[in-house]
Amino acid sequence: MPPARLPVAILGATGAVGQTFIRLLSNHPWFRVAEVAASDRSAGKRYADATKWIEGSMPPEVADLIVTTCDPSAVQSKVVFGAMDAVAAADAEPAFAKAGRFVLSNTKTFRMHEDVPLVIPEVNANHLALLDAQHAKGWSGGVITNANCAAIVGAMALAPLHAKYELSEVFMATMQAVSGAGYPGVPSLDILGNVVPYIGDEEPKLEREMQKMLGSVSGGRIADAKFVVSAHANRVPVEHGHTVVLSAKFRTKPSVADAIAMLRAWRGEEIVRGLPSAPEHPIVVTDDPARPQPRRDVMAGNGMTVTVGRVREDSIFHLKLVAMGHNTIRGAAGCAVLNAELLAVTGRLGWTPPGRG
Ligand code: NAP
């Protein structure tokens, strides 16, 4: 008998990110989707009837699951992946955490709460220490949240450089895919052949979340990294993949060659290596002056690798570069699954994954 996979639930399972969870977990060696939950509109229906499946074919094992409400009394799993509407998450996610469940969330709702970690496992796995502060306020489970999807792409590209040279100022402009707006998302007549230079509430997230992710943890709190960010967010007619152009100034100026070498050598935190969803290289650096491109590079590392290119001198800041990553995989569902794997190998789930006993 192969060892049993852990049953898990997806909140917001019918949406764009929820469907990405279903795809990523379909053949996952440790986790098995046992429960799917969404709004009252979907509850009580077969998953296949409640869901407008967006990409490829729906994995057959989920089609007959009955959708429940996003309520801990209706969902039994200890690991709960969150892809809900942000307003609905405000009540649901703490209710799950109080009931002893671990919520791997994607919503903006709790990102800036001081006891909620924004974890990119390769960058800041030690931020899971904030879960102790959640336990101290009476939650026997916890909430771990992903940052904004474009902020994750930017933070990954900057993390290896910040660790050595320390950021002081960042300018960024994003070109964000339509799948970042969920389903059905942006009306086709607004986006086909067009660029929309505004994404509601996006720039404030880009300007404050990277400092938390790249901050240091001590005494159960995060001290934000001390740099300022100016961000422009644009929606572009690309299906998947957020492209982020970055100019950065550091407390110590790196040479272009040293920065490229550092990005190339970076593998992220040791504990993450070999986890089922961890790419061998969290960052790859391309020498092609016309890359990264979403069409060609978005599935690098099964959607978990951020591709960096065009690292060069900046005439105002020190360095500029282009980073591109998959918004619903590295920027959402894939990062959350990797976070759940991290919880498992750090013993926080009280469950030993197959092959790790
Ligand atoms: P979406 O396609 O609009 O899906 C929203 C999901 O939330 C659906 O499953 C929907 O269920 C459910 N929902 C809506 N109202 C609800 C309620 N009152 N109670 C319970 N469930 C409710 O959105 P998405 O793009 O998947 O995004 C999901 C979350 O992830 C959002 O908070 C978003 O900001 C965040 N996020 C998205 C991306 C991305 O690239 N798309 C990246 C990072 C983070 P019904 O089908 O029943 O309405």
Side-chain angles (χ1 to χ4, degrees), residues 12 14-17 38-39 41-42 83-85 88 106-107 179-180 182-183 327-328:
T14 53
V17 175
S39 75
R41 295 178 289 278
S42 305
M84 305 172 67
D85 168 83
N106 283 289
T107 68
S179 61
Y183 186 82
N327 48 295
T328 62

Side-chain angles (χ1 to χ4, degrees), residues 14 18 31 65 75 91 94 112 116 135 137-138 153 161 165 198 213 217 237 270 289 300 306 325 348 357:
T14 53
F31 305 131
L65 293 177
V75 172
D91 291 329
M112 296 316 288
V116 173
H135 293 331
K137 73 178 179 192
V153 173
L161 304 175
Y165 304 107
Y198 174 70
M213 285 185 274
V217 67
E270 182 80 38
V306 168
R348 289 186 178 268

Side-chain angles (χ1 to χ4, degrees), residues 78-329:
K78 182 153 195 169
V79 171
V80 175
F81 293 105
M84 305 172 67
D85 168 83
V87 174
D91 291 329
E93 291 184 353
F96 276 94
K98 275 184 208 151
R101 323 301 178 76
F102 287 91
V103 183
L104 291 307
S105 169
N106 283 289
T107 68
K108 63 182 179 184
T109 316
F110 297 105
R111 281 183 193 150
M112 296 316 288
H113 283 221
E114 66 171 13
D115 59 3
V116 173
L118 299 181
V119 182
I120 303 174
E122 293 95 332
V123 171
N124 59 2
N126 64 340
H127 286 202
L128 283 185
L130 264 60
L131 288 175
D132 298 337
Q134 296 185 17
H135 293 331
K137 73 178 179 192
W139 292 1
S140 48
V143 175
I144 299 109
T145 299
N146 284 335
N148 168 274
C149 37
I152 289 177
V153 173
M156 283 189 67
L158 292 172
L161 304 175
H162 176 65
K164 178 150 187 203
Y165 304 107
E166 225 184 309
L167 288 160
S168 59
E169 294 167 39
V170 174
F171 167 85
M172 68 195 297
T174 68
M175 288 155 272
Q176 299 185 213
V178 287
S179 61
Y183 186 82
V186 191
S188 56
L189 286 181
D190 285 342
I191 197 66
L192 286 175
N194 203 13
V195 170
V196 181
Y198 174 70
I199 303 175
D201 196 27
E202 196 79 351
E203 289 167 0
K205 297 178 203 159
L206 298 171
E207 291 181 350
R208 67 179 189 221
E209 292 179 8
M210 291 199 300
Q211 295 92 325
K212 183 170 179 181
M213 285 185 274
L214 298 182
S216 52
V217 67
S218 100
R221 298 171 75 100
I222 290 183
D224 286 356
K226 289 194 176 5
F227 59 89
V228 288
V229 181
S230 169
H232 296 248
N234 304 284
R235 186 76 69 196
V236 296
V238 162
E239 187 181 3
H240 299 300
H242 289 349
T243 301
V244 183
V245 296
L246 289 157
S247 291
K249 192 167 186 179
F250 300 86
R251 296 208 160 75
T252 310
K253 183 180 178 180
S255 71
V256 169
D258 286 351
I260 290 173
M262 185 149 286
L263 288 164
R264 282 222 159 97
W266 189 74
R267 300 284 304 279
E269 296 208 15
E270 182 80 38
I271 191 168
V272 183
R273 293 186 202 159
L275 295 183
S277 302
E280 195 175 339
H281 294 281
I283 291 175
V284 295
V285 180
T286 170
D287 291 322
D288 185 335
R291 306 272 279 270
Q293 295 177 13
R295 177 172 295 165
R296 296 184 167 83
D297 300 308
V298 77
M299 286 311 294
N302 292 322
M304 289 294 281
T305 292
V306 168
T307 305
V308 173
R310 309 210 64 219
V311 184
R312 59 214 194 276
E313 289 264 355
D314 186 288
S315 53
I316 300 174
F317 297 77
H318 289 153
L319 285 180
K320 53 186 170 182
L321 56 82
V322 184
M324 194 280 304
H326 200 302
N327 48 295
T328 62
I329 300 181

